Amino acid sequence: MRIGEVARRSGVSARMLRHYETLGLVTPTGRTSSGYRDYLPADLARIFHVESLRSMGLSLREVGRALDDPDFAPDALVTQLAERTAAQIAEGEQLLRRLNAIAERGLDDWDNVLSTIALLEALSSPNAGRRQRAALTATGRTAPTSALVESLLHEDEPNVAGALRWALVRAGDAVPLLAEAARRSDVRERTRAVLALTEIAGPASTAALTVSVSDPNHEIRASAALELCRRGQPPHPDVLIGLIVDGIRDVDAADALAVAANSELPEQTVAFALIAKLSDANPGVRRRITQALGELPGAAAQAALAALVDDEDEQVARTAAYLRRPS
């Protein structure tokens, strides 16, 4: 089969077929009596193999290795292609976020557009110091709130994350985006979003934190519930007691329960809820509950401490004896 007919049947131009031959990728096996290239069925199959591998993103050099190296592992190739494609998708998504962030600002002159591009590039810099400086100087029309939120959700450096939260407090319109992020599937993104919400005052952030009190992650529940208590919102005793049992910010949770028992919740109800957790609890939990009972007002907590004075765990007994108020 002559090169022109191969080009028509395969969809690969004659020029590209000659290029393949130059590279040694596809060499026609035969020659006609006139000396022209003659592609045999095996050559056509080789062309289709080359095109298939190219469609998966391989360079022509990689295609040659895949077809000619007997030790080339197909599974390793597929893994490599998947990793490369994932990286390309990530880069494309980052570019899309940048473009959307610029469009979000409604910028109508090149100075502002270029300033926004420079800020977005700085926020994605591998240098933490540059990212932090960008966050600290992100003001006005050149600081897209959505870009600041996305940067925060993916920021691992604590100092940079702190600067980004500060920038979002100043932005004034970050709560809806953070509230949405607090419902994402990635627990790290939810954690960072809720932490930012705790630093933004107002009813909108309070409403978002109220939703996060039910988050399946205990750290997120802790941040939301404790911040709501600090804002004077109705406490969530089940969440606070759960934090004490789990040893997650248990001292803060005990303080919040004590404040609630002095104001909005019946102290007897809180004390009995804590006492119920003593049954079959391990020593660490019993010690934390004993400490929490010592923070509560009222007779029920004192009666529980009196019973714990004789506890078989010496540390629990000593703590209970120390915390009992003189009758």
Side-chain angles (χ1 to χ4, degrees):
M1 190 181 298
R2 297 277 294 275
I3 190 170
E5 185 177 357
V6 171
R8 286 193 298 273
R9 292 194 178 189
S10 67
V12 181
S13 69
R15 180 178 180 182
M16 183 59 73
L17 289 171
R18 293 189 184 95
H19 184 51
Y20 287 172
E21 184 177 352
T22 301
L23 297 175
L25 281 174
V26 181
T27 303
T29 305
R31 290 281 174 175
T32 66
S33 58
S34 305
Y36 291 105
R37 299 172 178 84
D38 189 15
Y39 288 84
L40 301 182
D43 303 327
L44 291 176
R46 174 88 173 189
I47 291 171
F48 288 120
H49 290 160
V50 169
E51 291 301 300
S52 295
L53 291 173
R54 282 190 65 200
S55 71
M56 295 175 67
L58 268 69
S59 67
L60 291 178
R61 177 178 295 181
E62 290 170 327
V63 168
R65 283 188 57 213
L67 293 177
D68 297 331
D69 185 350
D71 297 325
F72 197 87
D75 57 342
L77 170 64
V78 172
T79 300
Q80 177 187 359
L81 290 173
E83 292 174 350
R84 182 187 303 175
T85 302
Q88 291 170 343
I89 291 172
E91 290 177 1
E93 289 177 342
Q94 183 181 55
L95 175 59
L96 180 60
R97 286 195 296 270
R98 288 185 180 185
L99 293 172
N100 286 337
I102 294 171
E104 169 194 321
R105 307 308 292 173
L107 303 176
D108 53 7
D109 64 81
W110 275 114
D111 285 342
N112 282 331
V113 170
L114 294 174
S115 296
T116 300
I117 292 173
L119 172 68
L120 297 175
E121 289 179 346
L123 288 173
S124 61
S125 169
N127 183 281
R130 188 179 178 205
R131 297 198 304 275
Q132 184 175 16
R133 288 192 296 274
L136 292 173
T137 57
T139 58
R141 287 169 60 82
T142 60
T145 304
S146 61
L148 294 173
V149 169
E150 288 300 324
S151 295
L152 171 65
L153 298 180
H154 299 92
E155 182 57 64
D156 293 323
E157 171 58 45
N159 291 334
V160 181
L164 286 165
R165 291 195 300 272
W166 180 74
L168 289 171
V169 171
R170 293 194 303 163
D173 59 350
V175 170
L177 293 171
L178 291 170
E180 182 277 327
R183 297 190 296 271
R184 293 187 182 182
S185 59
D186 190 306
V187 67
R188 291 173 301 177
E189 294 182 7
R190 296 204 310 276
T191 300
R192 292 163 181 167
V194 169
L195 183 57
L197 286 167
T198 65
E199 298 184 12
I200 300 176
S205 64
T206 297
L209 290 171
T210 302
V211 174
S212 293
V213 167
S214 302
D215 193 277
N217 180 268
H218 51 254
E219 293 285 357
I220 294 175
R221 291 198 303 273
S223 295
L226 293 173
E227 176 60 24
L228 288 171
C229 287
R230 282 192 288 270
R231 296 186 184 192
Q233 296 298 306
H236 295 78
D238 291 343
V239 175
L240 297 174
I241 291 172
L243 297 177
I244 294 169
V245 171
D246 294 336
I248 307 297
R249 299 178 66 178
D250 50 291
V251 174
D252 292 334
D255 289 342
L257 271 179
V259 171
N262 272 305
S263 56
E264 301 184 45
L265 294 176
E267 60 84 15
Q268 189 175 21
T269 301
V270 177
F272 286 163
L274 281 170
I275 294 167
K277 298 293 183 180
L278 285 168
S279 178
D280 299 324
N282 65 49
V285 173
R286 294 176 64 81
R287 292 164 193 167
R288 291 193 293 273
I289 291 175
T290 302
Q291 289 278 5
L293 287 167
E295 300 292 331
L296 295 179
Q302 287 300 304
L305 289 173
L308 290 170
V309 168
D310 298 322
D311 194 87
E312 60 183 15
D313 184 295
E314 184 177 356
Q315 190 168 346
V316 169
R318 288 183 177 180
T319 301
Y322 175 78
L323 294 172
R324 282 190 67 197
R325 299 188 184 94
S327 46

